[in-house]
Amino acid sequence: MRIIINVISGKGGTGKTLLTAVMAELLANAGADVLAIDMDVFVRGLTALLYFHKNEVINITKKNEWPISAFFKNKSNMVKEKEIAICKYRSFDVIPSVAKVNEILCFSDIMPNSINEANEILKAILQYIPEKYDYVFLDSRAGFDELIAATHQISNFSLCVEEDDDISRITSDNLIKQLKEADVGKPVFRIINKARIMQKDDKFYGIEFLGNILFDTDVMNSFGTKEFWKEIEKSLYKEHLIKVWNKLAKKMELEIILEEKRVSPIGLQKLENHISMLSSVNRIFFVYGIIIMLLSFYLLFYESGFFEILVQEPKKLIGLFMYLLGSLLIIIPIFINNKK
């Protein structure tokens, strides 16, 4: 049975497209047939990824193919001779939002006037999609309108992607409340993306909370570049997203459980979680820098009998105190977020 997953957010910039693309890749690599649809015809982040993947081909679709925006332009007056544009992107397929990545669209021409009209357009889109896909992701736009309500109605469930700040939480609360008022009986799960702390759990957000995906500097800096997927393979982001998916799979009784294979490059998973805002190279430098500093402290002070000298010479004791204080000032800023 085809599972339709609607990816939404209360505000922009939470990383919906990043999460959609990586999750689709993970599931496709696990053997599923996966399709991702770029429903955000104005921001079109997923289409931009496809654009770069195709070596910046201006015309992403062929002349006999419909992008998603065509369904909204023409409403129900679709030309039957054309097919929906399904493009290969790495291990999964993508339906782009527009034929050209720089295409200008008029909001009043595109957006549906009611939930019923939005539902009719979405039904038309689904009729063009082959039945072979196990998972279909809808990369929806931020906020709430008739189209978001309709994408939630046609989906098996929605994933609300947010960041770990109060504004993002409030906008997500508002979005979920409006979706629940639509009373379609479809669940909405919450994911904190680009998280900087790990404490928040089910007790804070409720049973629909799937977990945190930690902020990973390497992933964020490489998004949209040729190095992006290489960084994903060794990233904390991928590891935490796998945990989120597996929790979702258990709740919704989905078939695929993803394997966790990543090994921390510094050998200490919990410490790496704390310093995830550093690049992977800097994480290694940081940890081994601390190890070298402690070894030097041991050799210089303990083995040489320097502690006895410190007792007799107060100035050197003050110098040692300043050394230790400086060391703490290196470490404290990295862990300070956990105390907020």
Side-chain angles (χ1 to χ4, degrees):
M1 184 182 74
R2 181 167 67 185
I3 303 296
I4 301 176
I5 304 171
N6 188 30
V7 187
I8 57 176
S9 66
K11 60 180 281 292
T14 61
K16 284 189 296 79
T17 298
L18 169 66
L19 184 141
T20 300
V22 178
M23 191 174 281
E25 174 83 349
L26 291 173
L27 291 173
N29 286 338
D33 283 318
V34 183
L35 175 68
I37 305 176
D38 191 352
M39 299 298 299
D40 193 345
V41 296
F42 294 104
V43 175
R44 61 193 71 155
L46 196 60
T47 301
L49 270 182
L50 178 64
Y51 169 75
F52 286 113
H53 187 74
K54 291 168 75 88
N55 297 318
E56 301 190 11
V57 176
I58 293 177
N59 293 310
I60 298 174
T61 66
K62 299 176 183 178
K63 290 183 178 180
N64 65 331
E65 294 178 331
W66 291 113
I68 290 301
S69 59
F71 287 84
F72 291 95
K73 283 181 185 177
N74 296 284
K75 302 300 189 274
S76 57
N77 301 317
M78 302 299 293
V79 178
K80 298 298 182 183
E81 288 75 17
K82 289 193 175 187
E83 299 178 351
I84 198 165
I86 298 179
C87 306
K88 190 70 178 177
Y89 179 78
R90 292 182 60 84
S91 61
F92 61 98
D93 293 339
V94 175
I95 300 179
S97 57
V98 288
K100 298 181 179 181
V101 75
N102 60 349
E103 184 178 347
I104 304 293
L105 299 173
C106 178
F107 185 87
S108 59
D109 292 340
I110 294 294
M111 286 300 102
N113 297 315
S114 66
I115 294 179
N116 289 336
E117 186 176 73
N119 270 318
E120 289 301 316
I121 295 170
L122 291 173
K123 287 177 183 177
I125 292 172
L126 292 177
Q127 286 177 357
Y128 276 77
I129 296 174
E131 292 292 330
K132 68 173 185 174
Y133 293 106
D134 302 305
Y135 297 97
V136 176
F137 286 89
L138 306 180
D139 185 17
S140 297
R141 57 191 241 138
F144 179 82
D145 56 20
E146 290 84 359
L147 181 56
I148 297 300
T151 54
H152 182 58
Q153 288 181 4
I154 69 163
S155 302
N156 293 82
F157 52 85
S158 292
L159 302 179
C160 183
V161 182
E162 57 193 278
E163 296 175 90
D164 62 350
D165 60 76
D166 290 339
I167 293 176
S168 188
R169 178 179 57 80
I170 291 169
T171 56
S172 294
D173 287 343
N174 292 336
L175 172 58
I176 293 170
K177 182 179 179 181
Q178 291 180 94
L179 289 175
K180 287 184 176 179
E181 286 180 355
D183 194 27
V184 295
K186 303 292 180 69
V188 182
F189 296 98
R190 303 178 78 142
I191 301 169
I192 296 181
N193 200 25
K194 299 186 284 185
R196 298 174 189 272
I197 52 178
M198 288 296 291
Q199 298 101 309
K200 295 176 181 176
D201 54 19
D202 296 358
K203 294 179 182 177
F204 188 86
Y205 276 113
I207 60 172
E208 291 83 10
F209 180 58
L210 296 178
N212 300 274
I213 301 172
L214 281 186
F215 185 96
D216 192 308
T217 299
D218 293 323
V219 170
M220 299 306 163
N221 289 341
S222 65
F223 187 56
T225 71
K226 293 180 179 179
E227 301 300 315
F228 172 66
W229 290 104
K230 291 181 181 178
E231 293 296 339
I232 283 293
E233 282 304 311
K234 58 184 180 182
S235 69
L236 279 169
Y237 188 93
K238 175 184 174 182
E239 178 181 351
H240 289 289
L241 184 56
I242 287 174
K243 291 178 180 178
V244 163
W245 172 263
N246 288 343
K247 189 172 182 179
L248 172 66
K250 289 178 181 178
K251 285 178 177 288
M252 296 301 296
E253 299 181 350
L254 304 177
E255 292 184 2
I256 293 182
I257 299 294
L258 300 172
E259 291 185 46
E260 301 177 41
K261 299 179 180 179
R262 182 181 180 275
V263 177
S264 172
I266 62 177
L268 298 168
Q269 183 61 65
K270 289 185 178 180
L271 180 58
E272 190 183 7
N273 287 345
H274 287 304
I275 61 175
S276 61
M277 285 181 286
L278 300 176
S279 68
S280 57
V281 173
N282 286 337
R283 289 172 211 160
I284 296 171
F285 286 159
F286 176 84
V287 172
Y288 287 108
I290 291 177
I291 293 173
I292 291 170
M293 184 181 69
L294 292 175
L295 285 173
S296 66
F297 178 81
Y298 174 80
L299 293 173
L300 290 173
F301 299 137
Y302 186 78
E303 286 289 328
S304 64
F306 194 64
F307 281 120
E308 295 178 6
I309 299 174
L310 291 177
V311 175
Q312 299 172 7
E313 297 186 40
K315 287 185 179 179
K316 291 185 177 179
L317 181 60
I318 294 172
L320 176 61
F321 173 76
M322 293 176 67
Y323 172 83
L324 294 173
L325 179 61
S327 301
L328 286 173
L329 291 176
I330 295 173
I331 300 172
I332 287 174
I334 295 171
F335 294 94
I336 196 70
N337 279 335
N338 287 326
K339 297 183 179 180
K340 289 184 178 180

